[in-house]
Amino acid sequence: MAVDTMNRPVRTKSRSSIPTALNTSNSVSTKRELFFRSDGSSKQHSVENGISSMRKEDRDMREREKKDDSAAARSNKMMDGYVGFANLPNQVYRKSVKRGFEFTLMVVGESGLGKSTLINSLFMADLYNSDHPGPSLRIKKTVQVESTKVLLKESGVQLLLQVVDTPGFGDAVDNSNCWQMIIDYIEHRYEEFLNGESRVNRKIMPDGRVHCCVYFISPNGHGLKPLDVEFMKKLHDKVNIIPVIAKADTMTPEECTLFKKQILNEIAQHKIKIYDFPDIDDEEENKANKSLKERVPFAVVGSNTVIEVAGKKVRGRRYPWGIVEVENMEHCDFIPLRNMLVRTHMMDLKDVTNNVHYENFRCRKLAGITSDGKTNKIPNKNPMMQIAEEKKDRIEKMKKTEQQMEQVFELKVKEKMQQLKDSEADLSKRHEQMKKSLEQQEGELQEKRKQFEQERAIFEAQHGDLRSKTLEAGSKEYVRMLFCLPCVVPASGKLAAR
């Protein structure tokens, strides 16, 4: 990969060094063409023939390198003024091959969409088998993040592939915040890398950052589901997202084209940022990027079964109506996806992860900004100054609290005074009412008394003679009775005088 990015025509001012530089450039370009050969012939050849041809091309490439190096050495001895920096791409190439490459791929999607099968098909290795089944066969009740590391070797180049799967994603009844575990995993990897860089004694540490997230979209439906939209909106600024339509053999070519347009429209409508292919000065590479960009989202079909068709062995799926070939661009977009992930854009995915997503996380972390958008203070001052500031802040908080308590107390006093005034006004009002009622009753009694006196005077005036006669008769009768009574002897035995 490093040869492709750093191999450029060398321009020097010395005339004697021009032929050697051009010769080295031609050898490197020949080597680059052999090393990054496209997969256009995969339609006609089987997987075994493709691997053997790649190994043969690699041997031829090494022999040509030796010949070119020997010829360049002989010409260097014969020519004066040769510096030797034209051989830098070869040095970078050898160093990169010796060190090996690392790539972390995350696959996210609902169970049963063929994630494990597609990963096995992409790297032509049994990453998931009967001993280590895929995530769909290990469904959990909650979303979990699990990683698998595999060391792959091809033509002397080592690739440490780490596949991160998320069993249980989208399978629950309530999928609220089911993406939080994935976000925490990605940011945890970023934080581990940042801590390793911030140490005093830094060592060469493995790059565990997630470089690419392949998101599987279900072919059932009329577009993206709300879960798909929310997931991509939460992660599009943290990782490179590549949308993939799973099990594309369930749709006709016309339905697949319309489905792709609908997905792209919804992605643009919700302002979701997926992986953007870079602009390159080379016209041929721009055409290749344009052809890949036109196929996004990739409609793929995965299969680990080898089927013989017309005397040729191909990977595909057999149906009653025919055979779907995995490595046939007319049937699906498996080859463009594999070329993009492995052969052409793997280094660009790593560069975007390192220069964009990781730098954004690093900037937020150093600035004290959390994922929620809140800012945390980072202590970068003298401890005594910090203690004094904290004391000052606490005193200000206490003053504010005291002011608030005083305001509350004043409000309560005002409320109590108002209640007392209202009760006093009510009592005075009731007192006036009772006083008026008593005065009214007293007036009524005075009137009744006057009326009674008048009636009494009238009655006495009318019946005065009768009363006097009655009194006289009564007094006479009383005297007569007194004189007519016999002598009564008391209980003491003494005589009572009359």
Side-chain angles (χ1 to χ4, degrees):
M1 295 297 179
V3 175
D4 190 23
T5 57
M6 299 184 63
N7 182 23
R8 296 178 181 175
V10 180
R11 296 182 181 179
T12 59
K13 295 182 179 180
S14 176
R15 294 182 180 179
S16 60
S17 63
I18 292 176
T20 304
L22 292 175
N23 188 13
T24 307
S25 177
N26 292 332
S27 64
V28 175
S29 63
T30 303
K31 178 174 63 178
R32 180 182 63 184
E33 292 175 1
L34 292 171
F35 189 73
F36 297 103
R37 184 176 296 275
S38 63
D39 200 19
S41 61
S42 59
K43 298 180 183 179
Q44 292 85 12
H45 300 283
S46 63
V47 178
E48 291 80 1
N49 294 334
I51 297 173
S52 62
S53 63
M54 291 176 65
R55 291 177 178 174
K56 185 177 180 182
E57 290 173 358
D58 186 71
R59 288 195 297 269
D60 295 339
M61 178 185 67
R62 293 179 181 177
E63 292 177 0
R64 291 179 184 178
E65 279 184 271
K66 292 179 181 179
K67 292 180 181 179
D68 293 337
D69 292 338
S70 61
R74 288 194 299 269
S75 62
N76 290 339
K77 293 179 181 179
M78 296 173 62
M79 301 175 64
D80 297 329
Y82 176 73
V83 179
F85 56 82
N87 198 38
L88 286 175
N90 294 330
Q91 297 179 23
V92 175
Y93 170 75
R94 288 193 295 270
K95 185 178 179 181
S96 300
V97 171
K98 183 179 179 180
R99 184 174 61 244
F101 300 92
E102 297 173 342
F103 190 72
T104 303
L105 178 66
M106 175 180 281
V107 289
V108 182
E110 299 176 1
S111 60
L113 294 180
K115 300 186 291 295
S116 306
T117 306
L118 182 65
I119 295 300
N120 291 341
S121 302
L122 280 174
F123 298 96
M124 288 191 292
D126 292 334
L127 274 73
Y128 298 106
N129 48 35
S130 58
D131 297 332
H132 182 69
S136 298
L137 302 177
R138 293 179 280 112
I139 297 177
K140 309 293 182 182
K141 293 183 179 180
T142 57
V143 180
Q144 295 186 0
V145 180
E146 300 177 359
S147 61
T148 305
K149 290 185 179 181
V150 179
L151 182 62
L152 303 177
K153 295 182 180 180
E154 184 181 25
S155 301
V157 179
Q158 295 183 356
L159 175 65
L160 180 60
L161 176 66
Q162 183 177 2
V163 179
V164 181
D165 53 42
T166 56
F169 177 82
D171 296 332
V173 177
D174 185 9
N175 293 312
S176 300
N177 297 325
C178 63
W179 50 79
Q180 190 61 42
M181 292 285 294
I182 302 172
I183 294 175
D184 294 341
Y185 178 83
I186 294 173
E187 291 186 347
H188 177 67
R189 291 300 181 183
Y190 285 155
E191 190 169 1
E192 283 184 349
F193 196 84
L194 178 61
N195 293 335
E197 282 187 338
S198 304
R199 292 174 184 171
V200 178
N201 297 324
R202 294 186 299 178
K203 299 180 181 179
I204 299 176
M205 50 189 174
D207 187 5
R209 296 172 295 182
V210 179
H211 302 114
C212 178
C213 176
V214 179
Y215 186 74
F216 285 75
I217 301 172
S218 175
N220 303 324
H222 302 285
L224 295 175
K225 297 179 182 178
L227 178 61
D228 303 334
V229 175
E230 289 297 324
F231 174 82
M232 289 192 282
K233 285 175 69 175
K234 294 291 183 181
L235 269 77
H236 69 123
D237 58 343
K238 296 178 177 60
V239 69
N240 299 312
I241 297 178
I242 298 177
V244 169
I245 302 174
K247 295 186 177 182
D249 52 345
T250 60
M251 297 184 291
T252 62
E254 292 79 8
E255 292 175 349
C256 186
T257 303
L258 293 175
F259 195 59
K260 284 185 176 183
K261 290 182 180 179
Q262 180 65 23
I263 290 174
L264 291 177
N265 291 334
E266 293 185 5
I267 287 175
Q269 181 181 358
H270 293 94
K271 297 180 181 180
I272 298 172
K273 298 177 183 178
I274 59 176
Y275 174 71
D276 190 13
F277 293 89
D279 294 331
I280 306 175
D281 297 335
D282 192 356
E283 294 182 0
E284 294 182 358
E285 292 185 1
N286 274 333
K287 289 181 180 178
N289 288 343
K290 186 177 180 181
S291 63
L292 289 175
K293 195 172 183 179
E294 290 175 353
R295 291 181 175 270
V296 176
F298 298 96
V300 297
V301 177
S303 176
N304 297 327
T305 306
V306 179
I307 302 174
E308 187 173 354
V309 180
K312 297 180 182 179
K313 292 183 178 180
V314 296
R315 285 186 300 166
R317 292 182 176 273
R318 189 185 298 274
Y319 293 99
W321 44 265
I323 296 174
V324 177
E325 298 180 13
V326 173
E327 297 181 352
N328 192 341
M329 295 180 65
E330 296 180 357
H331 293 177
C332 66
D333 299 332
F334 174 78
I335 288 180
L337 177 62
R338 186 180 66 183
N339 291 341
M340 191 271 291
L341 285 177
V342 181
R343 298 192 178 185
T344 59
H345 290 79
M346 179 179 283
M347 290 303 299
D348 187 68
L349 288 168
K350 296 182 69 174
D351 292 340
V352 172
T353 301
N354 183 63
N355 300 330
V356 179
H357 300 299
Y358 171 69
E359 287 298 324
N360 291 337
F361 172 81
R362 178 175 172 273
C363 181
R364 291 195 302 268
K365 191 72 175 178
L366 295 179
I369 301 175
T370 61
S371 59
D372 300 334
K374 299 180 180 178
T375 304
N376 295 332
K377 293 183 179 179
I378 299 178
N380 193 17
K381 299 178 181 179
N382 189 2
M384 298 302 296
M385 294 286 292
Q386 187 177 353
I387 291 172
E389 289 184 358
E390 290 180 356
K391 184 177 180 181
K392 186 178 179 181
D393 293 339
R394 289 180 181 177
I395 292 172
E396 290 179 355
K397 288 182 180 178
M398 289 178 65
K399 288 182 179 179
K400 289 182 180 179
T401 306
E402 186 177 357
Q403 291 177 359
Q404 291 177 358
M405 292 177 67
E406 288 179 355
Q407 291 176 0
V408 172
F409 179 73
E410 289 177 358
L411 289 174
K412 289 185 176 180
V413 169
K414 288 181 180 179
E415 290 178 357
K416 194 68 176 178
M417 293 296 292
Q418 188 66 31
Q419 290 178 359
L420 291 173
K421 289 181 180 179
D422 294 340
S423 60
E424 185 178 0
D426 189 15
L427 289 172
S428 61
K429 187 176 179 180
R430 290 174 61 186
H431 176 70
E432 293 293 332
Q433 290 178 356
M434 292 177 67
K435 187 176 179 180
K436 288 180 181 180
S437 62
L438 287 173
E439 289 178 354
Q440 186 178 0
Q441 290 179 3
E442 186 177 1
E444 291 178 355
L445 288 174
Q446 291 292 339
E447 291 179 358
K448 288 182 179 180
R449 185 173 182 178
K450 289 180 181 180
Q451 187 178 0
F452 173 74
E453 292 292 339
Q454 291 176 2
E455 290 179 354
R456 181 181 177 183
I458 295 170
F459 179 80
E460 288 179 353
Q462 292 178 357
H463 304 283
D465 298 336
L466 180 62
R467 181 180 180 186
S468 60
K469 291 179 181 180
T470 304
L471 289 174
E472 290 177 359
S475 59
K476 289 179 180 181
E477 185 67 24
Y478 179 72
V479 171
R480 188 180 61 81
M481 288 177 65
L482 288 176
F483 284 103
C484 291
L485 284 174
C487 294
V488 179
V489 181
S492 59
K494 294 180 181 182
L495 295 176
R498 293 184 176 179

